[in-house]
Amino acid sequence: MKIVFFTTAHNSLSQRAFVELVDRGHTVIVVIASSEEVMLEVVDREQPDLIVAPMLKKVIPASIWQQHTCIIVHPGIKGDRGPSSLDWAILNACEEWGVILLQAGAEMDAGDIWASRTFSMRGGSKSQLYRHEVTEAAIQGLLETIAKFESKTFVPEPLDYSREDIKGRLQAAMKQADRAIDWAEPTSSILRKIRCADSFPGVLDTILSMQCYLYGAHEEDALRGTPGEIIAKRDGAICRATGDGAIWITHLKQKGTDGQPSFKLPATHVLGERLAHISDVPLALDQACDRRTYREIWYEERQAVGYLHFEFYNGAMSTDQCQRLREAFLLIRQRPTKVIVLMGGTDFWSNGIHLNMIEAADDPAQESWRNIHAMNDLVRELITAESHLLIAALQGNAGAGGVILALAADSVYARKGIVLNPHYKGMGNLYGSEYWTYLLPKRVRGAKARELTEALRPISTRTAQQIGLIDDAFEEDAASFHEHIRKLAEELASSHLYEQMLQEKRQRRKNDEERKPLQAYREEELQWIWMNFFGADRRYHMARKNFVYKGIIPSHDKSGASLERESGGLLMKDAQLAAGQVTGWHYGGRPARDNYCGEASMTAEILDGRALSAEIKAELHGQVRRSVEKQGQAPGLMIVRVGSDAASGVYSKAILRMAEDVGINARLAQLSVKTPADELQALLVQLNNDRAVHGIIVQMPLPAHVSQKMVTATIAPSKDIDGIGPHSAGNLFLGLPSFLPSTAAAVMEILERTQTPLEGRQVVVISRSNVVGKPLAMMLLQKNATVTICHSRTTNLAALTCQADVLVAAAGIARMVRAEMVKSGAVVIDVGINALPDGGIVGDVDFASVREVAGAITPVPGGVGPLTKVVLLKQCVQAWQLAGENKDLKSAALL
Ligand code: NAD
């Protein structure tokens, strides 16, 4: 079925519903239903079989629910209505609660019931209950609903308050007044108030004269004080006395002045110096704790197995948390155990770097850099731990670097029902690090790996297991999962194969290190991510702000405003991207390519020259249209063709057509093959003096009696738009502005428009010709690439091409570059145009095999070719503009 999700956010429930339905073969389109218009447009376009609203705060327009079945997932028992269902259930200490799936109708939450589930309540926060009990119940109910819908015979049950089993009622929206805390109240009551507002909206309270929303409440059994007093701090949390005990509060959100939004941070961070007098009460990592308290990282040991728990709020790991976890790991590595189980937290395994802490830093770019280094340091310790076998036990969801963190273990197991997001790009095209270019291809190979990092979709544990990302998934409830993991770990520790497995692990690491040092992976990843943090592309910073502030960046955040301007609306697109609606190239630059190395295989991204050429053509057309009045005439281009070479005929026609599209006045001077050289020279001089002609190209090949040297020397440098003359070549060599040979310039255009990094990279060019190899090498040098030129006399060509991060082939030999000559993940630009005996055209690169190893590749035809022509026109427009201003390129650049 084609199912459309209308949701306010693609949260844990909607992601889980998405993966469950996709796994069952349905097509699911997730729509962030920001307005009625969006909903109407999507329904009109997609004509879905069914609409599901997993978490929708908006009303579905009547015209939609009157024509389509719309199922609302409501976190309440039958009869319950209103926006604060779960909040009331927690505050009122209900013992049982539920989920209903009802049909959208005229009245909110009052439609006919398709399915319902109930569950026992436990002492968790609203978000914990939502992520576990509510989600499980909703998924079961949704699957039942879909089966009923497909049966076409089921009639949903109308809501009838006269029935005894309908216990729920319409409840008002909960207000801050309902949540207000009196600290003399008992712990249990205060806990319920904080938990029923966690993670949204938080309970508003005053702490040390600061108005804050409270989150992350945990009971404390030992510490005591005057009610309301702050009595201790630990791991970023504060402990506050209640009427009969104390409560830890891990996170606060300062109430923004003038209603400005702010965001959640660890409590000690928000209160800062105000807590100077409060004592820190650390708990040793392995201190057994049979009382209730709060700690982020702890360790237990049983039967030669060590269990390392790290329960970070929302799975975010700050620089400090990464460092503390690494230190903890180094300590427990000293223990005489055999297996270490990395338990993560119950709600989240890990979600990678801590975007809120980064946002709160004085210099977010620097803090991003520190945070990723701290993550990398931690992951490196896991990868290189040769003393133990490591198990990652994913009890909760994981995303981005958090997924990669798990892959550093020797075995990866997950609780059934968690959702994984093994990609970074949704966060403003973030490249990611954590040695993912080493760890991911070890588990997921080829096109699948690329799909994972590119599609930006959540995946189920079922899919993760199928593609090899994890080893197994079992048990849906947390307690059974723990038990299963314990058994597995103990069996491993006592296995007679244990020593052999450890030995094999050491050998594998040694081999991997010899093939490519870990440090090299790290440095390569960091080069890319450095550009995300410090480079000109500000999308990561914008996306982070958007994420942290939930899309409402405060007006006082000047950096946010300027970033928004710079990013020119990319913010919204990133949000869509995160929601899995937009993928690929849709907004300007190509997303950072994946840099797989070693033996991994992949399917390369196809660099579509036609699309780029259309983009440039549109830009040129705009430029010409805007300036034509000022210039007094259109740009003029003259193509001179001597003789009737078929290929040059096709080329001329294509240029004429394209020039017309752009608004260039292009003409062809067709001369006989017998035209004397001096006659051709006279024509060129005449064209040099013709003020209506701004660019001249002479088609190659020329007849034998005409010297190419004469032609290139005669064309005026100001009209040499193909950059073939000695003047242009000299300027290029000296690094001065010049017209460029169009094929070489087309290669540069592709590299630049796809944001392929060149600085310091190894670029190998197979060609030393005057039109491709030599000029291209000069241009690449200007971009600080490390350039190697190969040619017909180069020995051991493959040894050089294998080093290339970027490989350009322009030898004119059909399919000479084969897969084994290409480094995994390299960008391959194929300039060659070779006619086959059967009339087909192929490049210099064996496309079919190379695309399996390269990161990106240009096809032939459809790669460099279309761009060559458009670059020529671009330079013609440039010559026209300079002529209008009475400048040549050099003086223009100097002015
Ligand atoms: P060329 O013959 O002038 O240059 C070929 C270069 O390749 C020389 O430098 C030569 O030393 C080198 N070479 C040849 N055999 C080699 C080998 N076995 N190993 C290593 N190097 C080798 O040709 P050109 O005019 O520069 O064109 C090269 C190719 O590019 C041709 O296929 C041509 O059709 C194509 N081309 C395409 C475009 C386009 O728009 N896409 C434009 C111009 C040329």
Side-chain angles (χ1 to χ4, degrees):
M1 279 203 298
K2 190 192 244 189
I3 302 171
V4 160
F5 279 9
F6 283 154
T7 188
T8 298
H10 198 24
N11 67 358
S12 54
L13 195 160
S14 73
Q15 290 196 18
R16 173 77 190 286
F18 173 86
V19 299
E20 292 291 345
L21 299 189
V22 168
D23 280 2
R24 283 166 175 78
H26 298 291
T27 301
V28 182
I29 299 153
V30 180
V31 179
I32 304 298
S34 50
S35 67
E36 282 198 3
E37 289 73 45
V38 168
M39 293 189 250
L40 288 165
E41 190 202 313
V42 170
V43 171
D44 190 42
R45 192 181 61 224
E46 302 293 342
Q47 292 299 318
D49 301 309
L50 182 67
I51 296 168
V52 176
M55 200 282 288
L56 185 63
K57 292 184 181 167
K58 289 233 169 340
V59 176
I60 299 178
S63 63
I64 295 181
W65 59 255
Q66 279 162 356
Q67 287 173 29
H68 299 263
T69 305
C70 301
I71 302 293
I72 312 284
V73 178
H74 178 77
I77 50 174
K78 280 185 183 176
D80 176 84
R81 296 172 59 196
S84 307
S85 298
L86 209 46
D87 307 44
W88 288 115
I90 297 170
L91 192 68
N92 296 336
C94 293
E95 285 179 2
E96 190 176 75
W97 201 242
V99 170
I100 33 177
L101 289 99
L102 40 89
Q103 192 156 337
E107 263 192 280
M108 269 287 243
D109 304 336
D112 296 351
I113 298 169
W114 282 74
S116 66
R117 290 287 186 282
T118 55
F119 51 82
S120 309
M121 291 285 275
R122 61 176 164 114
S125 70
K126 179 168 64 169
S127 59
Q128 286 170 330
L129 287 162
Y130 189 82
R131 230 172 267 126
H132 294 270
E133 284 82 349
V134 171
T135 297
E136 285 309 325
I139 297 303
Q140 286 173 25
L142 182 59
L143 296 178
E144 182 186 318
T145 301
I146 285 177
K148 287 172 172 171
F149 181 77
E150 281 178 320
S151 77
K152 295 195 168 72
T153 54
F154 179 77
V155 181
E157 161 200 327
L159 178 61
D160 176 2
Y161 280 108
S162 66
R163 278 175 45 176
E164 259 190 26
D165 63 325
I166 306 288
K167 300 207 173 72
R169 290 291 173 264
L170 173 64
Q171 305 194 81
M174 195 181 279
K175 301 197 181 66
Q176 280 297 338
D178 303 310
R179 306 181 193 269
I181 293 174
D182 171 354
W183 286 90
E185 284 177 61
T187 297
S188 56
S189 146
I190 297 176
L191 262 182
R192 283 202 302 276
K193 286 186 174 170
I194 300 178
R195 286 179 170 168
C196 79
D198 196 352
S199 61
F200 183 81
V203 178
L204 187 58
D205 194 26
T206 304
I207 306 184
L208 301 173
S209 320
M210 200 187 243
Q211 280 216 296
C212 298
Y213 295 91
L214 319 184
Y215 309 90
H218 299 258
E219 292 127 306
E220 165 60 48
D221 282 345
L223 301 169
R224 293 289 176 267
T226 315
E229 184 193 3
I230 296 177
I231 48 181
K233 56 185 182 193
R234 176 189 300 151
D235 294 351
I238 51 169
C239 185
R240 206 167 179 191
T242 65
D244 60 356
I247 284 178
W248 288 96
I249 297 158
T250 67
H251 283 72
L252 299 177
K253 181 168 84 175
Q254 193 177 356
K255 186 169 188 238
T257 46
D258 306 330
Q260 292 280 6
S262 64
F263 54 90
K264 279 179 220 173
L265 286 166
T268 55
H269 189 96
V270 173
L271 296 170
E273 277 308 299
R274 288 177 163 86
L275 296 175
H277 62 291
I278 306 293
S279 45
D280 215 342
V281 286
L283 263 186
L285 180 65
D286 57 348
Q287 190 172 321
C289 221
D290 48 7
R291 62 186 170 86
R292 288 172 300 181
T293 187
Y294 164 72
R295 51 174 154 177
E296 275 186 320
I297 304 173
W298 71 99
Y299 175 71
E300 343 163 63
E301 216 174 270
R302 273 191 309 265
Q303 309 273 356
V305 181
Y307 299 85
L308 181 60
H309 299 260
F310 40 101
E311 184 95 56
F312 299 127
Y313 190 80
N314 283 343
M317 293 171 65
S318 67
T319 306
D320 171 62
Q321 284 163 325
C322 294
Q323 288 167 348
R324 281 193 284 124
L325 187 55
R326 177 176 168 268
E327 280 156 23
F329 180 72
L330 292 180
L331 265 180
I332 65 171
R333 234 170 57 177
Q334 318 270 338
R335 300 284 310 148
T337 47
K338 290 186 162 179
V339 174
I340 296 174
V341 185
L342 305 163
M343 295 294 292
T346 40
D347 287 332
F348 292 97
W349 156 263
S350 164
N351 279 324
I353 57 174
H354 200 311
L355 297 172
N356 285 32
M357 285 297 279
I358 288 170
E359 186 59 36
D362 290 340
D363 184 341
Q366 277 296 347
E367 186 51 37
S368 306
W369 190 241
R370 287 182 67 226
N371 202 163
I372 205 74
H373 272 283
M375 275 298 277
N376 285 353
D377 291 345
L378 167 66
V379 176
R380 188 183 51 212
E381 296 303 348
L382 303 183
I383 297 174
T384 57
E386 297 196 337
S387 52
H388 289 75
L389 291 178
L390 305 190
I391 294 177
L394 280 66
Q395 315 173 61
N397 294 354
V403 177
I404 306 301
L405 177 72
L407 305 190
D410 304 301
S411 317
V412 184
Y413 301 116
R415 183 174 65 76
K416 268 188 189 163
I418 67 162
V419 172
L420 303 173
N421 277 289
H423 42 79
Y424 297 92
K425 281 186 179 171
M427 190 48 61
N429 207 26
L430 192 66
Y431 185 74
S433 193
E434 291 106 359
Y435 301 90
W436 74 268
T437 53
Y438 169 62
L439 293 169
L440 188 62
K442 270 166 77 79
R443 287 194 155 261
V444 184
R445 301 181 76 81
K448 276 283 165 227
R450 183 155 199 87
E451 214 177 291
L452 273 189
T453 56
E454 293 292 329
L456 310 188
R457 279 199 208 103
I459 58 165
S460 65
T461 52
R462 202 175 305 123
T463 305
Q465 191 186 348
Q466 270 165 13
I467 61 174
L469 186 72
I470 63 172
D471 295 294
D472 203 354
F474 34 76
E475 316 292 0
E476 286 188 359
D477 73 289
S480 316
F481 179 73
H482 282 190
E483 187 50 25
H484 198 136
I485 283 288
R486 187 188 63 72
K487 274 201 193 126
L488 263 176
E490 288 178 7
E491 273 168 27
L492 185 60
S494 60
S495 163
H496 67 284
L497 293 174
Y498 175 83
E499 280 308 326
Q500 188 188 328
M501 288 160 89
L502 197 61
Q503 194 47 42
E504 283 170 5
K505 167 181 171 165
R506 290 179 187 138
Q507 191 57 47
R508 265 197 313 274
R509 179 81 281 282
K510 189 162 169 279
N511 295 347
D512 285 357
E513 188 67 19
E514 274 167 14
R515 203 170 301 135
K516 180 170 175 177
L518 265 188
Q519 186 61 17
Y521 288 101
R522 180 170 176 151
E523 280 168 14
E524 283 173 9
E525 288 168 5
L526 289 175
Q527 276 187 25
W528 290 83
I529 210 168
W530 187 93
M531 286 189 276
N532 291 131
F533 296 161
F534 301 102
D537 180 351
R538 310 294 287 161
R539 273 181 285 168
Y540 154 71
H541 296 287
M542 198 61 228
R544 186 194 64 241
K545 276 187 193 299
N546 188 34
F547 172 85
V548 165
Y549 284 107
K550 310 272 177 268
I552 311 162
I553 300 174
S555 55
H556 63 70
D557 188 320
K558 297 288 177 265
S559 65
S562 64
L563 281 173
E564 174 123 50
R565 267 197 311 280
E566 282 169 32
S567 68
L570 285 173
L571 171 60
M572 185 52 213
K573 287 177 180 148
D574 273 329
Q576 290 169 335
L577 197 65
Q581 297 166 56
V582 182
T583 53
W585 280 69
H586 295 254
Y587 50 101
R590 176 170 64 92
R593 82 189 159 94
D594 301 311
N595 195 1
Y596 292 78
C597 302
E599 292 181 338
S601 80
M602 64 195 302
T603 304
E605 179 176 349
I606 310 298
L607 303 179
D608 182 350
R610 289 198 180 102
L612 283 181
S613 144
E615 196 176 301
I616 303 171
K617 239 169 73 178
E619 286 168 18
L620 287 179
H621 186 242
Q623 271 177 38
V624 172
R625 209 186 48 231
R626 282 192 297 276
S627 311
V628 74
E629 220 169 285
K630 196 172 98 208
Q631 299 268 357
Q633 61 177 338
L637 166 66
M638 182 62 85
I639 306 169
V640 180
R641 181 165 173 245
V642 189
S644 54
D645 175 76
S648 88
V650 173
Y651 188 75
S652 303
K653 271 196 195 133
I655 296 265
L656 288 171
R657 229 181 7 251
M658 214 184 245
E660 194 183 334
D661 291 348
V662 167
I664 295 175
N665 191 0
R667 283 174 298 143
L668 173 68
Q670 175 64 62
L671 309 183
S672 143
V673 72
K674 296 202 179 104
T675 307
D678 55 352
E679 229 175 83
L680 172 63
Q681 189 170 26
L683 172 67
L684 293 176
V685 171
Q686 186 199 325
L687 293 173
N688 283 344
N689 295 325
D690 186 340
R691 296 173 73 89
V693 173
H694 304 97
I696 305 169
I697 37 177
V698 177
Q699 286 277 265
M700 303 293 160
L702 290 164
H705 67 277
V706 179
S707 117
Q708 190 172 334
K709 206 162 139 199
M710 178 280 285
V711 169
T712 55
T714 308
I715 297 173
S718 60
K719 300 190 180 185
D720 178 22
I721 57 163
D722 206 5
I724 56 168
H727 192 90
S728 303
N731 278 346
L732 173 61
F733 184 85
L734 295 173
L736 297 171
S738 66
F739 288 121
L740 307 166
S742 54
T743 309
V747 173
M748 290 305 287
E749 197 79 47
I750 295 183
L751 295 175
E752 281 168 18
R753 288 199 180 236
T754 54
Q755 296 168 10
T756 303
L758 293 172
E759 182 151 338
R761 318 292 285 187
Q762 298 286 345
V763 182
V764 173
V765 180
I766 309 178
S767 162
R768 59 176 161 183
S769 77
N770 288 337
V771 289
V772 188
K774 283 189 212 162
L776 183 58
M778 291 302 133
M779 292 177 220
L780 289 163
L781 280 178
Q782 281 175 18
K783 297 287 173 195
N784 299 317
T786 308
V787 187
T788 306
I789 299 185
C790 298
H791 47 78
S792 51
R793 304 290 173 85
T794 301
T795 50
N796 204 359
L797 181 67
L800 294 164
T801 57
C802 274
Q803 305 291 316
D805 299 307
V806 176
L807 176 61
V808 183
I813 301 175
R815 300 182 182 130
M816 71 171 280
V817 175
R818 296 175 312 277
E820 62 272 21
M821 295 169 71
V822 177
K823 177 166 139 181
S824 199
V827 173
V828 179
I829 309 289
D830 190 354
V831 180
I833 301 174
N834 307 293
L836 295 179
D838 66 1
I841 298 282
V842 293
D844 286 2
V845 176
D846 181 28
F847 187 80
S849 70
V850 172
R851 74 176 298 193
E852 295 303 317
V853 277
I857 187 169
T858 57
V860 176
V864 177
L867 275 170
T868 306
K869 298 178 200 88
V870 86
V871 162
L872 201 63
L873 299 181
K874 185 177 172 181
Q875 301 201 90
C876 183
V877 171
Q878 221 175 343
W880 167 67
Q881 282 170 332
L882 292 170
E885 293 162 19
N886 255 335
K887 289 180 205 158
D888 59 18
L889 262 184
K890 199 163 146 193
S891 62
L894 292 174
L895 280 175

